[in-house]
Short mmCIF file of all heavy atoms in Angstrom, two decimals:
data_model
loop_
_atom_site.label_atom_id
_atom_site.label_comp_id
_atom_site.label_asym_id
_atom_site.label_seq_id
_atom_site.Cartn_x
_atom_site.Cartn_y
_atom_site.Cartn_z
N ARG A 106 -40.30 185.41 -13.12
CA ARG A 106 -41.19 185.79 -12.01
C ARG A 106 -40.70 187.09 -11.37
O ARG A 106 -39.51 187.44 -11.49
CB ARG A 106 -41.29 184.65 -10.99
CG ARG A 106 -40.01 184.38 -10.23
CD ARG A 106 -40.13 183.14 -9.35
NE ARG A 106 -40.07 181.93 -10.16
CZ ARG A 106 -38.93 181.28 -10.42
NH1 ARG A 106 -37.78 181.73 -9.93
NH2 ARG A 106 -38.93 180.20 -11.16
N LYS A 107 -41.60 187.74 -10.66
CA LYS A 107 -41.26 189.00 -10.00
C LYS A 107 -41.01 188.76 -8.51
O LYS A 107 -41.40 187.74 -7.96
CB LYS A 107 -42.40 190.01 -10.17
CG LYS A 107 -42.65 190.43 -11.61
CD LYS A 107 -43.77 191.44 -11.69
CE LYS A 107 -44.02 191.88 -13.13
NZ LYS A 107 -45.12 192.88 -13.20
N CYS A 108 -40.38 189.73 -7.90
CA CYS A 108 -40.18 189.67 -6.45
C CYS A 108 -41.54 189.78 -5.76
O CYS A 108 -42.49 190.38 -6.29
CB CYS A 108 -39.27 190.79 -5.97
SG CYS A 108 -37.58 190.68 -6.58
N SER A 109 -41.64 189.21 -4.58
CA SER A 109 -42.87 189.30 -3.81
C SER A 109 -43.01 190.71 -3.23
O SER A 109 -42.11 191.54 -3.36
CB SER A 109 -42.88 188.26 -2.69
OG SER A 109 -41.79 188.48 -1.81
N SER A 110 -44.13 190.95 -2.58
CA SER A 110 -44.40 192.30 -2.05
C SER A 110 -43.38 192.75 -1.01
O SER A 110 -43.15 193.95 -0.84
CB SER A 110 -45.80 192.33 -1.44
OG SER A 110 -45.92 191.35 -0.41
N ASP A 111 -42.76 191.79 -0.32
CA ASP A 111 -41.75 192.17 0.68
C ASP A 111 -40.35 192.25 0.09
O ASP A 111 -39.36 192.40 0.82
CB ASP A 111 -41.78 191.19 1.86
CG ASP A 111 -41.45 189.76 1.42
OD1 ASP A 111 -41.30 189.52 0.21
OD2 ASP A 111 -41.38 188.88 2.31
N GLY A 112 -40.23 192.13 -1.24
CA GLY A 112 -38.95 192.30 -1.90
C GLY A 112 -38.12 191.04 -2.03
O GLY A 112 -36.98 191.10 -2.53
N THR A 113 -38.65 189.90 -1.62
CA THR A 113 -37.90 188.65 -1.73
C THR A 113 -38.09 188.03 -3.12
O THR A 113 -39.13 188.20 -3.76
CB THR A 113 -38.34 187.63 -0.66
OG1 THR A 113 -39.74 187.33 -0.85
CG2 THR A 113 -38.11 188.18 0.73
N LEU A 114 -37.06 187.33 -3.57
CA LEU A 114 -37.11 186.64 -4.86
C LEU A 114 -37.04 185.15 -4.63
O LEU A 114 -36.09 184.65 -4.01
CB LEU A 114 -35.95 187.08 -5.76
CG LEU A 114 -35.85 186.38 -7.12
CD1 LEU A 114 -37.06 186.72 -7.99
CD2 LEU A 114 -34.55 186.76 -7.83
N ARG A 115 -38.05 184.44 -5.10
CA ARG A 115 -38.10 182.98 -4.94
C ARG A 115 -37.22 182.31 -5.99
O ARG A 115 -37.28 182.64 -7.17
CB ARG A 115 -39.54 182.50 -5.11
CG ARG A 115 -39.74 181.01 -4.90
CD ARG A 115 -39.82 180.67 -3.46
NE ARG A 115 -40.14 179.26 -3.23
CZ ARG A 115 -40.07 178.67 -2.06
NH1 ARG A 115 -39.70 179.37 -0.99
NH2 ARG A 115 -40.38 177.40 -1.91
N LEU A 116 -36.36 181.40 -5.55
CA LEU A 116 -35.49 180.64 -6.46
C LEU A 116 -35.98 179.20 -6.53
O LEU A 116 -36.13 178.53 -5.50
CB LEU A 116 -34.04 180.68 -5.99
CG LEU A 116 -33.38 182.07 -5.93
CD1 LEU A 116 -31.95 181.96 -5.42
CD2 LEU A 116 -33.41 182.73 -7.30
N GLU A 117 -36.23 178.72 -7.74
CA GLU A 117 -36.77 177.38 -7.97
C GLU A 117 -35.74 176.52 -8.70
O GLU A 117 -34.77 177.03 -9.28
CB GLU A 117 -38.07 177.47 -8.79
CG GLU A 117 -39.17 178.27 -8.12
CD GLU A 117 -39.73 177.60 -6.86
OE1 GLU A 117 -39.36 176.44 -6.60
OE2 GLU A 117 -40.50 178.25 -6.15
N PRO A 118 -35.93 175.20 -8.70
CA PRO A 118 -34.92 174.32 -9.31
C PRO A 118 -34.66 174.58 -10.79
O PRO A 118 -33.54 174.37 -11.27
CB PRO A 118 -35.50 172.91 -9.09
CG PRO A 118 -36.93 173.11 -8.73
CD PRO A 118 -37.00 174.43 -8.05
N ASP A 119 -35.68 175.08 -11.53
CA ASP A 119 -35.44 175.34 -12.95
C ASP A 119 -34.60 176.60 -13.18
O ASP A 119 -34.29 176.94 -14.33
CB ASP A 119 -36.76 175.44 -13.73
CG ASP A 119 -37.66 176.56 -13.22
OD1 ASP A 119 -37.34 177.16 -12.16
OD2 ASP A 119 -38.69 176.81 -13.86
N ASP A 120 -34.20 177.26 -12.09
CA ASP A 120 -33.29 178.40 -12.20
C ASP A 120 -31.83 177.97 -12.23
O ASP A 120 -30.93 178.80 -12.43
CB ASP A 120 -33.50 179.38 -11.04
CG ASP A 120 -34.91 179.97 -11.03
OD1 ASP A 120 -35.47 180.15 -12.12
OD2 ASP A 120 -35.44 180.22 -9.93
N VAL A 121 -31.59 176.68 -11.99
CA VAL A 121 -30.23 176.12 -12.06
C VAL A 121 -30.17 175.15 -13.23
O VAL A 121 -31.03 174.28 -13.36
CB VAL A 121 -29.86 175.37 -10.76
CG1 VAL A 121 -28.46 174.76 -10.89
CG2 VAL A 121 -29.91 176.30 -9.57
N GLU A 122 -29.17 175.33 -14.07
CA GLU A 122 -29.03 174.45 -15.23
C GLU A 122 -27.93 173.43 -14.97
O GLU A 122 -26.78 173.79 -14.74
CB GLU A 122 -28.70 175.26 -16.49
CG GLU A 122 -28.63 174.40 -17.75
CD GLU A 122 -28.33 175.22 -18.99
OE1 GLU A 122 -28.07 176.43 -18.85
OE2 GLU A 122 -28.36 174.65 -20.09
N LEU A 123 -28.30 172.16 -14.99
CA LEU A 123 -27.33 171.09 -14.85
C LEU A 123 -26.94 170.58 -16.23
O LEU A 123 -27.68 170.76 -17.20
CB LEU A 123 -27.92 169.93 -14.03
CG LEU A 123 -28.00 170.13 -12.52
CD1 LEU A 123 -28.67 168.93 -11.88
CD2 LEU A 123 -26.61 170.33 -11.92
N PRO A 124 -25.78 169.91 -16.34
CA PRO A 124 -25.39 169.35 -17.63
C PRO A 124 -26.48 168.43 -18.18
O PRO A 124 -26.99 167.56 -17.48
CB PRO A 124 -24.13 168.54 -17.28
CG PRO A 124 -23.57 169.21 -16.09
CD PRO A 124 -24.75 169.69 -15.30
N GLY A 125 -26.85 168.67 -19.43
CA GLY A 125 -27.82 167.80 -20.08
C GLY A 125 -29.27 168.17 -19.87
O GLY A 125 -30.15 167.52 -20.44
N ASP A 126 -29.57 169.21 -19.09
CA ASP A 126 -30.97 169.58 -18.85
C ASP A 126 -31.71 169.87 -20.14
O ASP A 126 -32.89 169.60 -20.27
CB ASP A 126 -31.04 170.82 -17.95
CG ASP A 126 -30.96 170.45 -16.47
OD1 ASP A 126 -30.96 169.24 -16.18
OD2 ASP A 126 -30.91 171.35 -15.64
N ASP A 127 -31.02 170.44 -21.13
CA ASP A 127 -31.68 170.80 -22.38
C ASP A 127 -31.58 169.72 -23.44
O ASP A 127 -31.96 169.92 -24.58
CB ASP A 127 -31.08 172.09 -22.93
CG ASP A 127 -29.59 171.96 -23.18
OD1 ASP A 127 -28.97 171.03 -22.64
OD2 ASP A 127 -29.05 172.78 -23.94
N GLN A 128 -31.03 168.53 -23.06
CA GLN A 128 -30.82 167.49 -24.05
C GLN A 128 -31.45 166.16 -23.67
O GLN A 128 -31.32 165.19 -24.39
CB GLN A 128 -29.32 167.26 -24.25
CG GLN A 128 -28.53 168.52 -24.55
CD GLN A 128 -27.05 168.25 -24.57
OE1 GLN A 128 -26.55 167.45 -25.35
NE2 GLN A 128 -26.33 168.91 -23.69
#
Side-chain angles (χ1 to χ4, degrees):
R106 68 187 75 92
K107 296 181 179 180
C108 295
S109 60
S110 58
D111 61 355
T113 61
L114 177 65
R115 183 80 174 170
L116 298 179
E117 300 292 352
D119 60 352
D120 298 327
V121 178
E122 184 179 6
L123 283 177
D126 275 355
D127 59 343
Q128 308 173 60

